[in-house]
Amino acid sequence: MHKVAIGIDIGGTYIKSGLVGSSGQIWERQSTPTEAGSGKNDLLAKIARIVHGYERTAAKLHLDLAGIGIGTAGYVNLQGVVGSATGNLPGWQGTSIRDELQGSVSLPIFVDNDVNAVALGELWLGAGRNRDDFICLALGTGVGGCLITGGKPYRGRNGYAGAYGHQTIAVGGHPCTCGQKGCWEQYASVTALKRMTAEMADGAEWSRSPEDVFAAARNGVAKAVEIVDRYAENIAIGTANLIHHFNPTAIVIGGAITAQGDFLFERIRNHVRRLTLHGFADEPELPIVPAELGHMAGMIGAAKLVWMQS
């Protein structure tokens, strides 16, 4: 009988989940609207229903369930409690996910931050495979990160390591949702790219979405090229700081924006080489590469939490 784990990635908009074998085979997966506005209890009940659905599927397929891995938005402490969460998940802060689910499910549960789960997914089956040490970044509404060292996420003193988006790169700069000013995520997130476009594009037709901006830049529209280059430089500034801090073997960058491929990544690499001390990102060149697993990375990495305990 094949052993499988249930991997669950809880985001503000969707819960992505699946049955994942110990060798990485995905037996089944689905995406379910989070509907976080309904509150914590409804969200926990929805997660329990997802688990019960996979229990029925596993029984039909004669699969042996080993446990449940959960990656969640928010900062998760070493006890699996969400110590801090944004308004995308109302009431989620302070939730002990494992303890609150344990009454309705009987399988062992392992919980971590969503970007740690993404990094584990990329370490296992994606752009980080065959590497024991790299930094994984996630560019989206904000900027998150994870240092993989010795084949495991570095969690820090209480589990909150990886808040790279809140390094200050511009003293007195743009206000951040965290209450500070000048945080990296206010310059390198997709949210920041949209704001920058609104400020610089003067309502041009090509400024409606990040995808349109990149399409215009590829077509040689000068202002669009300027926006893309400035955005790449903003990503590179924080990345260079991390390279100086950790001297990693690779940088893996995830998020939908990385679908822009080398048109974006070559600019990031060029700016990183300019911003780092000799030897940190060149000779030989430090790999700065897009993540490979896309929207499945967090789910796959959450399942890996189970296999790491087996």
Side-chain angles (χ1 to χ4, degrees):
M1 181 178 285
H2 294 283
K3 293 183 75 69
V4 294
I6 300 172
I8 299 176
D9 176 21
I10 305 170
T13 306
Y14 288 99
I15 301 169
K16 294 175 281 292
S17 60
L19 287 176
V20 184
S22 58
S23 61
Q25 180 181 0
I26 299 174
W27 292 83
E28 184 169 312
R29 60 188 176 93
Q30 65 181 8
S31 182
T32 309
T34 307
E35 298 173 321
S38 298
K40 179 185 82 170
N41 291 335
D42 282 358
L43 180 52
L44 288 166
K46 179 174 288 190
I47 295 167
R49 289 194 297 272
I50 290 170
V51 170
H52 295 322
Y54 283 124
E55 288 175 334
R56 292 189 292 271
T57 299
K60 289 178 185 176
L61 297 176
H62 304 290
L63 301 172
D64 182 17
L65 285 171
I68 304 163
I70 297 175
T72 178
Y75 296 104
V76 179
N77 69 21
L78 296 175
Q79 290 72 46
V81 178
V82 181
S84 176
T86 70
N88 289 334
L89 293 174
W92 206 231
Q93 185 165 313
T95 302
S96 177
I97 300 173
R98 179 180 58 235
D99 292 344
E100 298 208 34
L101 281 176
Q102 208 71 78
S104 53
V105 300
S106 57
L107 293 165
I109 301 170
F110 307 95
V111 182
D112 208 336
N113 164 266
D114 56 351
V115 183
N116 285 1
V118 168
L120 280 173
E122 293 294 332
L123 170 69
W124 187 20
L125 301 176
R129 60 186 177 278
N130 302 321
R131 301 183 189 278
D132 282 339
D133 300 89
F134 65 92
I135 290 173
C136 182
L137 300 172
L139 309 181
T141 304
V143 173
C146 174
L147 170 66
I148 293 290
T149 180
K152 297 180 180 179
Y154 174 72
R155 293 184 170 86
R157 180 174 65 89
N158 54 13
Y160 299 157
Y164 303 144
H166 297 288
Q167 58 175 306
T168 300
I169 68 164
V171 176
H174 290 292
C176 184
T177 55
C178 73
Q180 304 300 320
K181 291 183 177 181
C183 292
W184 185 33
E185 73 173 38
Q186 294 305 312
Y187 298 84
S189 65
V190 177
T191 307
L193 173 59
K194 292 176 180 177
R195 187 197 66 241
M196 188 192 314
T197 301
E199 293 170 350
M200 297 176 63
D202 197 27
E205 186 177 348
W206 50 262
S207 66
R208 291 173 297 186
S209 71
E211 291 76 16
D212 290 339
V213 173
F214 274 89
R218 290 175 192 274
N219 287 328
V221 176
K223 183 59 69 172
V225 171
E226 181 183 352
I227 291 170
V228 168
D229 192 62
R230 185 176 297 184
Y231 179 59
E233 183 178 27
N234 289 344
I235 294 171
I237 290 169
T239 302
N241 290 343
L242 296 173
I243 290 168
H244 285 137
H245 284 315
F246 298 113
N247 193 22
T249 63
I251 303 286
V252 175
I253 304 178
I257 198 69
T258 61
Q260 300 302 327
D262 275 346
F263 191 78
L264 172 62
F265 273 79
E266 276 306 309
R267 286 173 164 79
I268 295 172
R269 294 174 188 126
N270 288 339
H271 284 301
V272 165
R273 283 193 290 268
R274 177 177 59 82
L275 292 166
T276 52
L277 295 172
H278 176 71
F280 277 80
D282 55 6
E283 297 188 5
E285 185 174 9
L286 172 73
I288 300 176
V289 298
E292 295 179 1
L293 300 180
H295 65 276
M296 293 195 301
M299 177 271 287
I300 291 170
K304 183 64 174 176
L305 290 171
V306 176
W307 301 123
M308 289 175 71
Q309 310 299 322
S310 300

